[in-house]
Structure formats: C-alpha cells, structure tokens
Amino acid sequence: MELIIAANWKMHKTVSETIEFCRSLRSDEAAFSGVEVLICPPFTALAAAAEEMTGSPVKLGAQNMHREKQGAYTGEVSAPMLLEFGLEYVIVGHSERRHLMGEDDTLVAGKVEAAFASGLKPILCVGETEEEREQGVTGKVLERQLTAALENIAPENISKLVIAYEPVWAIGTGKAASAEDAENASGLIRNLVQSQFGKGAAAGLRIQYGGSVKAENIDSFVTLKNVDGALVGGASLEAVSFSALVQAARKAVRN
Ligand code: PGA
C-alpha cells in the first residue's frame, strides 16, 4: 500500500510563511515519488497554498470542517468551501479538537459522514490519553471512538478513509510511542474495521501513526505491518525537515 504522510500545521503559518514553505518543498517534490504527501495549512493559508502547489504531486488537506454545508455557524467552515481550493483530505477529530474544543464522538461521526458525502477523504484521528493508557483502557477507547465514527459509513468508503492513531501523550511531547505500541494499536484498529466491514475493506484501509514523528524515527513506524504512514505536527513546520522525513520514509519502505 502507498504510504501517506500528512503535515498538520495546526495554528501555524501566515500566508507569507506558507508561500515560503511551499516554494522550498517544491524544490524537493521529485524525491517524494511513491509516497502520497499532503500538507494541511490553516484555513487562511489554503488559497495561497493551493496556488503555490498547482501542478505539484503534493496534495492539500484541511484541519477541520463543519458537518453542515452552510448556515448560522459563526466562525465555522464547510466542505463546499474547502472543495473550492481543490482539497482532497480533511483531518477530523484531532485530539486537540476533542480535548480543547470539546468535540465528542457524535460530533466527530457527523463530520466523517459529511466529509464522505461531499467528496472529501477524512483523516480520522483516534487515540487514548495518558490517563487512559495508565488505566489499561486503550483498546476500549479506540473501540468507542471508531464504533461511533464509522457507524454510518458505507463499506466502499473505507478505502478512501485514513485513520490516524495518535496517542494523546505522544503529541507534541517529543515522546513518541514505541514501535510495539504503535503496531498493537494499529492492528487493533484494523481488526475493529475488519469486524465491521470485512477483510477486504480492512486490508485497503490506511492507518497512520502520529505523535512526535520526525525524520529520525519515521523508519520505525512506516516499516510496521499495520502502519501505512504518519500524521506529523512539529516536524512538518520546516520544509527542509518535512522533506527529510518524507524521504526517510520512502527509503525505509524501499529497503
Ligand atoms: P506532533 O503532532 O508531530 O507535533 O507530535 C502530531 C499531531 O498532532 O498530529
């Protein structure tokens, strides 16, 4: 399966910083072949990124969306608005949105459904907190998050879905999960999808690991049986380090 590596910039980069990043990344894009690469800028920089990345194999994603197409939802952005920029992906249910903005499983499920309905591919984030991990309930948390998010999804959409396993304690902490933990959780995710949608669908599902991924440790994740890429925060903010990370991933799966 082709690796998928996504840059999640979070609340970083103005338009001018975005342009600078894109120009730098484009000078390396020929070295990314065989890896699906996307960048997810903030909404305000999407237009600039779309213009700069015209003709590039590097794709664009958004970091969030509202489930409704339009309406009285001050400050929100809808799928049709995102599609205007030629976006292909949207991150849904990131732990920062779940924990800092109060998004619950039902709300996340609505966004997954709305993304598919509009033609966007959701990158659905799941993962346990440190407390949940210490209580030994990681499996239960993943099952609860996935069952809710996939409730109304058609089986043929699973091949367009990306699930990002992001243990909350590993995000932005410099403390990445061990390869063993990432593989165990990803295997569990694939099994859960298999029990609901069947073996064929589960085999076509792409699962990313996210949480303190960098060029120096990406090889230990992308070579795992059940991991097909990474969702990258901090290490995606500099074009040079993000490019190095993508190239390290490509090299690791080729060896
Ligand atoms: P990080 O963030 O790479 O900075 O840990 C990952 C994420 O939140 O998607």
Side-chain angles (χ1 to χ4, degrees):
M1 204 147 29
E2 192 177 40
L3 289 181
I4 175 163
I5 299 187
N8 173 16
W9 287 357
K10 311 189 179 185
M11 198 172 73
H12 291 281
K13 295 201 189 293
T14 60
V15 166
S16 56
E17 289 163 347
T18 298
I19 292 171
E20 196 185 323
F21 178 102
C22 290
R23 290 187 182 167
S24 170
L25 195 71
R26 290 212 66 171
S27 63
D28 281 357
E29 69 189 19
F32 301 163
S33 74
V35 181
E36 188 174 357
V37 181
L38 60 134
I39 53 177
C40 304
F43 295 136
T44 47
L46 281 173
E51 193 181 329
E52 289 298 321
M53 301 314 281
T54 303
S56 170
V58 176
K59 297 172 180 175
L60 289 182
Q63 298 175 19
N64 182 33
M65 60 173 265
H66 194 273
R67 68 168 298 170
E68 299 298 334
K69 289 193 174 82
Q70 58 179 32
Y73 302 102
T74 302
E76 292 291 323
V77 169
S78 71
M81 296 171 186
L82 298 175
L83 286 163
E84 277 196 316
F85 298 109
L87 263 70
E88 191 169 327
Y89 289 93
V90 59
I91 299 172
V92 171
H94 189 279
S95 69
E96 283 147 20
R97 297 212 60 85
R98 290 180 191 260
H99 299 292
L100 304 175
M101 317 289 171
E103 293 196 4
D104 62 14
D105 288 334
T106 312
L107 194 119
V108 172
K111 292 184 182 200
V112 171
E113 215 183 321
F116 278 129
S118 69
L120 283 166
K121 296 175 183 164
I123 298 177
L124 167 67
C125 301
V126 294
E128 81 287 2
T129 62
E130 182 143 43
E131 199 185 344
E132 289 163 339
R133 174 180 152 90
E134 277 161 10
Q135 290 166 359
V137 294
T138 297
K140 278 206 178 84
V141 171
L142 296 177
E143 185 171 359
R144 192 203 72 225
Q145 292 174 332
L146 279 178
T147 307
L150 302 180
E151 198 185 336
N152 294 315
I153 301 311
E156 61 271 23
N157 277 335
I158 297 298
S159 62
K160 296 182 206 134
L161 173 71
V162 178
I163 296 179
Y165 168 60
E166 296 208 306
V168 180
W169 48 270
I171 296 177
T173 58
K175 205 174 78 183
S178 66
E180 192 187 352
D181 282 347
E183 175 58 20
N184 285 343
S186 304
L188 191 79
I189 289 169
R190 206 177 294 282
N191 284 341
L192 287 167
V193 169
Q194 181 171 325
S195 61
Q196 198 176 333
F197 296 94
K199 216 170 176 168
L205 167 75
R206 287 186 298 174
I207 301 174
Q208 295 176 318
Y209 166 74
S212 299
V213 176
K214 48 191 182 186
E216 293 75 24
N217 65 12
I218 183 82
D219 61 333
S220 65
F221 298 111
V222 292
T223 47
L224 296 170
K225 181 167 166 269
N226 280 298
V227 174
D228 314 294
L231 183 55
V232 187
S236 76
L237 291 174
E238 297 294 334
V240 172
S241 59
F242 184 59
S243 168
L245 185 154
V246 172
Q247 292 182 62
R250 181 176 177 237
K251 192 163 161 241
V253 294
R254 284 196 161 183
N255 285 339

